Amino acid sequence: MNEYQLLVEAFNRTTYPLSGHGKRNIQVLKEAFEDADENMDSDIYGAGELIEGFQGEMAEFLGKESAVFFPSGTMAQQIALRIWCDRKGLKKVAYHPLCHLEIHEQDGLKELHHLEPVLLADKNRLIYLEDVMNMDKDIACLLLELPQREIGGQLPEYTELEAISAYCREQGIMLHLDGARLFEVLPYYEKTAAEICALFDSVYVSFYKGIGGIAGAILAGSEDFTQESKIWKRRHGGDLISLYPYITAADYYFKQRVHKMGQYYKEAKELAGFFNQCEAVSTLPVEPVSNMFHVHFEMPKEKLAPILIAIYESTGIGLAQVLREIEGTSSCYYEVSIGDRYAGVPKEKIREAFDMLDKKMREVR
């Protein structure tokens, strides 16, 4: 058995994993349906009280005229960009080099919609107004991700967002929000979702990340935009005969957790503080701006794995399940996303684990 398998197995045996809400098993669905009205009719091909009611609630929460439930964010975002490109008569869209559409979707935007991405900014930093102003190509739409997951969940200052939004409107560039983790950034900005979404022409949010649902997404915008997105959803095969298991879970966990984002944010900052006190360990950002951040270790993952396994077995605390190499270095990292689990972990056990991590990192280095 290799080090990767040993680390995964050791993590799965821990009593106190620090990230997330809990295991993604059938219990997640059972809990969501426990108090559901058994006589409620399911949605049928995108219509019905259940789906339309939820879409209406989300449109209001996001401050948009209308919203459509999609089975996946990948589908929703490709469709949003296709609509804006068709309307502008341009085939180019701009986004970050580490945007989900660029690195996780097998070139779906290019192969299915024949759209050309323009990559803005260096991959290790955020997009700023200067990057948008200095583009040498005409684009139909700019996509901004809040937070920028692949660089530790970093966020631009709100004034920067306002400036980019104003510039795009002046130039006739549509602005789309990849808000997969939008709910998680509200405490940092101290804004409502509607206030942030007002800066954007269209918005996507996810229901299985910080919310912890099964799957599914909302795409929101003007009424004519969402009506067109429904046509594209049908073309993509996204109008399943019924989506109610996803909608019911999304609705249930949204109501359970959206008001906890401030708690998760506070706990993320606390946990990052523990990491940053350890030898050869740092977080990105140093102080998190949402409930997620990256933890960097100045050590190859094959040397770090045995250290983590020893900590798991001694303290019952679970840190990383998977370690990723940092290209061009002898370091590695993993992603933290705080949810319901963290609050239930005894603080003395957390301190014990980090004392042990600091000691072992000093010994090995």
Side-chain angles (χ1 to χ4, degrees), residues 23 92 103 120 132 148 151 168 170 219 232 244 246 285-286 291 321 327 334 351 357:
K23 291 184 177 180
K92 293 183 176 64
I103 66 174
L120 291 186
V132 183
Q148 194 74 49
I151 53 173
C168 286
E170 289 170 4
L219 182 63
W232 277 106
Y244 71 89
Y246 306 121
V286 175
N291 70 324
Q321 184 175 24
E327 185 179 352
Y334 88 103
R351 294 189 184 94
L357 176 62

Side-chain angles (χ1 to χ4, degrees), residues 31-140:
E31 182 180 333
F33 273 86
E34 188 173 4
D35 295 322
D37 181 359
E38 62 185 26
N39 295 313
M40 172 68 77
D41 291 333
S42 70
D43 56 301
I44 303 292
Y45 293 120
E49 179 183 347
L50 185 136
I51 189 170
E52 291 167 7
F54 184 65
Q55 289 172 165
E57 290 173 11
M58 292 312 305
E60 182 177 359
F61 186 84
L62 298 172
K64 294 299 182 186
E65 285 182 1
S66 182
V68 180
F69 190 87
F70 279 79
S72 81
T74 296
M75 183 187 297
Q77 294 211 106
Q78 288 185 21
I79 286 171
L81 298 186
R82 174 62 185 267
I83 291 171
W84 294 135
C85 284
D86 284 351
R87 291 191 179 186
K88 301 294 289 186
L90 292 168
K91 290 290 188 180
K92 293 183 176 64
V93 296
Y95 49 61
H96 192 274
L98 299 181
C99 173
H100 194 280
L101 287 100
E102 186 68 14
I103 66 174
H104 290 306
E105 299 181 14
Q106 300 294 316
D107 287 336
L109 192 69
K110 304 168 192 174
E111 296 295 331
L112 297 177
H113 297 282
H114 308 293
L115 302 185
E116 178 185 333
V118 176
L119 305 183
L120 291 186
D122 180 87
K123 68 178 183 178
N124 295 313
R125 68 167 176 85
L126 295 166
I127 293 173
Y128 296 111
L129 175 61
E130 183 178 4
D131 301 305
V132 183
M133 294 178 68
N134 291 336
M135 280 189 298
D136 60 359
K137 297 181 180 180
D138 291 332
I139 62 169

Side-chain angles (χ1 to χ4, degrees), residues 136-356:
D136 60 359
K137 297 181 180 180
D138 291 332
I139 62 169
C141 181
L142 168 65
L143 179 152
L144 294 181
E145 180 184 357
L146 303 178
Q148 194 74 49
R149 178 198 177 185
E150 299 293 339
I151 53 173
Q154 296 183 53
L155 285 172
E157 291 303 315
Y158 196 72
T159 53
E160 186 77 18
L161 276 183
E162 291 179 311
I164 293 174
S165 176
Y167 178 80
C168 286
R169 286 177 178 165
E170 289 170 4
Q171 300 299 314
I173 299 170
M174 309 311 293
L175 189 59
H176 173 76
L177 173 58
D178 178 343
R181 296 167 177 80
L182 171 64
F183 309 124
E184 292 91 314
V185 308
L186 302 182
Y188 175 76
Y189 281 137
E190 297 183 327
K191 303 286 184 182
T192 65
E195 287 173 321
I196 295 174
C197 292
L199 302 177
F200 296 83
D201 298 292
S202 55
V203 177
Y204 142 69
V205 295
S206 170
F207 291 102
Y208 75 86
K209 296 179 172 67
I211 294 300
I214 305 299
I218 278 284
L219 182 63
S222 63
E223 181 69 32
D224 62 305
F225 170 82
T226 56
Q227 287 301 318
E228 191 169 352
S229 78
K230 289 181 179 180
I231 296 171
W232 277 106
K233 184 170 77 159
R234 178 64 60 92
R235 290 169 176 164
H236 270 251
D239 263 340
L240 281 63
I241 184 171
S242 294
L243 288 165
Y244 71 89
Y246 306 121
I247 298 166
T248 300
D251 187 33
Y252 175 82
Y253 289 110
F254 176 79
K255 289 181 171 66
Q256 289 282 313
R257 291 173 175 148
V258 72
H259 65 281
K260 293 184 178 181
M261 295 301 165
Q263 171 194 321
Y264 302 154
Y265 172 45
K266 180 180 178 181
E267 291 168 344
K269 291 191 287 185
E270 177 183 273
L271 181 58
F274 284 120
F275 276 113
N276 287 315
Q277 292 171 10
C278 294
E279 177 73 13
V281 183
S282 61
T283 66
L284 180 69
V286 175
E287 181 172 291
V289 290
S290 72
N291 70 324
M292 71 154 292
F293 58 92
H294 288 179
V295 182
H296 289 233
F297 301 88
E298 296 175 22
M299 184 177 292
K301 63 181 185 179
E302 60 269 16
K303 290 182 65 176
L304 179 62
I307 292 175
L308 296 181
I309 291 170
I311 293 170
Y312 300 172
E313 292 176 345
S314 176
T315 68
I317 295 290
L319 302 176
Q321 184 175 24
V322 176
L323 298 170
R324 299 188 176 105
E325 295 176 344
I326 300 176
E327 185 179 352
T329 74
S330 58
S331 300
C332 62
Y333 78 98
Y334 88 103
E335 182 177 294
V336 173
S337 182
I338 294 297
D340 287 346
R341 277 172 162 169
Y342 187 82
V345 182
K347 286 292 190 293
E348 63 272 17
K349 298 298 294 183
I350 294 177
R351 294 189 184 94
E352 180 186 350
F354 280 98
D355 287 345
M356 190 172 176

